[in-house]
Structures are given as C-alpha cells and as structure tokens.
Amino acid sequence: MTTASRLRDPSIGHRFVASDGAALHVEESGPADSAVTLVLVHGWTQDHRTWDFVLPHLDPGVRVLRYDLRGHGGSAHARPGSATISRLADDLAELIADRVPSGPLVLAGHSMGGMTLMVLAERHPELVSERLAGAAFVATSSGDMDQLTLGFPGLVGRGVTRFEPRVARLLARLRSDTLRLRPAMVRSGARQLVFGARPGRAQVDSVVEQLLCAHPASAGLFLDAIAAHRGVGGLGALCDVPSVVLAGERDRLCPLAHAKVIADELPHAEFVRFPGAGHMLPQERPFEVARRISALVRVATRGN
C-alpha cells in the first residue's frame, strides 16, 4: 500500500465528520483525563505529521489532538466553496466541541494552521474567552500574502507575486487525487523554498511526503484563501491569552515582518526569532517549538 493510499484509507485512524459531511482524519495521544488538551493544527499541503518531530519533546502527560485539514492527508477533499480559512476555523471549533467538550485548551498552528487560529478567534470568540488558555503561532502570517515575493527583490519578486495566482488556478483545475510529481524534484524545491540552512534529509522527506498526499485542487483553492487572508481583526479576542509567536529568520513564505505584526497585536505574546531557520519550524527546530508550546501548557495547567 502506498503512502497516499494508506493515508486515505478510511479504516485506518480515527474520523471526525464536520457539519457539512466532510470526514477529517484525527490522531490522539496522551491521557484522556489530562488537565489541559493541546490541539496542533498543520499548514498548507501538509498534514498531522507536521508535528511528528515535535511530539516526542512534549510532556507525555498532556493530551494531544492532531488532525488533517480538509483537502490534506487522510481527510476528505475540500468541496466547492469549502476551501476557506473560515471553514477551517469552523472545523476546528466543531472538532473541539466533539472531542474536547470541556476543560482548558492550548492551540498551536503552523502557517495556515496559525491563520485558522486567528479566524477561530474572530468567528468563535466565546470559545476563546471560555476555554482558550494558550496560543502558539508558528511561522504564521497575519495577511498580505497576495504580495508575497518569496524574498526575491525587484522584477523577480514582482513576477512571483503575479505567478502565484496562476499556480493556484492550475492546481484547482487538476482532477487527480495526488500531485503526480517526481519526489526528487519536489525534494529539491522544498529544500530551497521552505527550509533554512542545512536541513536534515528526514525533515525534508517528511515535508515532501505530506505534500504529495495533499489533494491538488483543494491545495489550489486554499492557496487563493491564503492570499485573501487578513487575520489581524481576530487577534483582538486573543489579547488576554498567553501566546507565543515563533518565526524563522529565513522564512520565505511567512516573512519575519508578518510574524512581528501578530506579536505586536498580542500584548502578552513572546516573540521568538530563530536565526538560520526557514518556514518549517516544526521540522527544523522541533525541540525549541515543543519547549515554547510546553511552557504554555504548564501555565494553563497551573491556572486550572
């Protein structure tokens, strides 16, 4: 059985069905009676395995919930009209209501996962005020992703900005279940685009394997959603929540300045910069990411 078919086999793992009928793949670990539940949300073209390198460094006494966003990994494809950050935020709220109906929560989101947390705060402020005890934004942008240059200056950077919508349209028209690309080519591109200096082979392979399991049309539609994202409005609901904003200084996808906007909007946030790191902080700096998330969990546990 291939990696893609294994992840899409509905008999493997746990399932949560959202209110619109989309089935999401869910993984749980840790004790069910943990004082605090940690929910980890991955980014674009990745899945719950984004956190594989972080998980071993977390406190084994905390309950951890990971899941695949719609259109990613083992979850259902994003139906027409559902490939939006708002729908992802609603999925997260519904998953929490079903799997974690009570008790304090710490939420951590990487990239589009962090955007999902912002929109969750805007669309479900009661969840934030009543339940949220900590939030981690990992390599996340507050907006203006439609102006992304991937760090290239001048004409090249402007060309990248114009080219990205074409990539989104091309992906959205694909009818295959997975991207039919050569892993070696994807590996080379990922190493250059989403990693910082000297990434490990296992870390790059993890990102590539996840990307090749993402649903192409869903990925294209979500790329448009990312470009349209404006998340600052939701941050007001998080002002009193202990938070951390983690950013790689070589991040081409969610630049350092974008992360700084989030930190500036959150008076209780710790802003942590990682020299030499790129966009894939859960793979590049798993121990440090786990340490900052664990600190939020400890604060939440003491306050419970």
Side-chain angles (χ1 to χ4, degrees):
M1 183 180 288
T2 65
T3 300
S5 61
R6 176 178 59 79
L7 282 175
R8 294 186 186 282
D9 184 351
S11 68
I12 298 175
H14 300 90
R15 281 289 189 270
F16 167 74
V17 179
S19 59
D20 68 346
L24 307 182
H25 178 91
V26 182
E27 295 283 343
E28 297 186 47
S29 60
D33 60 351
S34 172
V36 175
T37 299
L38 170 63
V39 184
L40 303 174
V41 190
H42 68 81
W44 183 67
T45 72
Q46 299 294 282
D47 56 53
H48 71 276
R49 293 174 294 168
T50 287
W51 306 100
D52 277 357
F53 295 92
V54 173
L55 202 62
H57 302 295
L58 296 172
D59 182 350
V62 66
R63 182 188 181 201
V64 179
L65 202 66
R66 298 182 293 162
Y67 68 105
D68 296 346
L69 302 175
R70 58 178 63 210
H72 297 73
S75 291
H77 301 169
R79 298 175 180 179
S82 73
T84 67
I85 310 297
S86 295
R87 181 64 249 190
L88 295 183
D90 291 346
D91 286 347
L92 177 55
E94 292 173 9
L95 177 64
I96 289 170
D98 182 79
R99 297 297 177 93
V100 200
S102 62
L105 298 161
V106 172
L107 306 180
H110 174 249
S111 192
M112 188 169 73
M115 298 177 187
T116 300
L117 303 192
M118 294 182 203
V119 179
L120 176 81
E122 189 169 19
R123 293 175 66 85
H124 302 275
E126 72 291 341
L127 176 61
V128 170
S129 62
E130 296 172 7
R131 305 277 310 281
L132 192 58
F137 296 93
V138 184
T140 298
S141 173
S142 56
D144 293 330
M145 294 291 283
D146 54 344
Q147 302 301 313
L148 192 66
T149 66
L150 298 181
F152 294 108
L155 287 173
V156 176
R158 289 193 291 273
V160 170
T161 301
R162 290 193 296 269
F163 184 64
E164 186 172 295
R166 299 178 186 177
V167 173
R169 289 194 295 270
L170 174 63
L171 288 171
R173 288 197 295 266
L174 294 179
R175 293 295 174 260
S176 59
D177 281 345
T178 57
L179 285 168
R180 295 171 182 171
L181 299 174
R182 301 172 73 176
M185 179 183 70
V186 180
R187 187 178 297 112
S188 176
R191 185 181 293 273
Q192 297 299 320
L193 184 60
V194 299
F195 282 94
R198 298 183 298 278
R201 176 63 181 262
Q203 286 74 24
V204 176
D205 284 349
S206 173
V207 168
V208 170
E209 288 171 7
Q210 292 172 65
L211 185 150
L212 293 176
C213 287
H215 180 235
S218 299
L221 294 170
F222 275 120
L223 192 56
D224 279 338
I226 290 170
H229 173 69
R230 299 293 184 272
V232 173
L235 293 174
L238 297 168
C239 282
D240 296 325
V241 176
S243 305
V244 63
V245 179
L246 309 180
E249 291 189 350
R250 293 193 179 189
D251 191 337
R252 291 176 177 269
L253 296 190
C254 292
L256 199 64
H258 289 208
K260 186 66 165 56
V261 171
I262 299 173
D264 288 344
E265 292 290 327
L266 299 174
H268 301 293
E270 178 188 13
F271 183 42
V272 184
R273 300 166 52 155
F274 294 97
H279 186 62
M280 305 310 296
L281 289 179
Q283 284 87 2
E284 295 181 76
R285 301 291 189 271
F287 175 76
E288 292 93 337
V289 169
R291 185 160 68 89
R292 263 66 185 206
I293 294 174
S294 294
L296 294 175
V297 172
R298 285 194 296 272
V299 170
T301 302
R302 288 197 297 268
N304 185 34

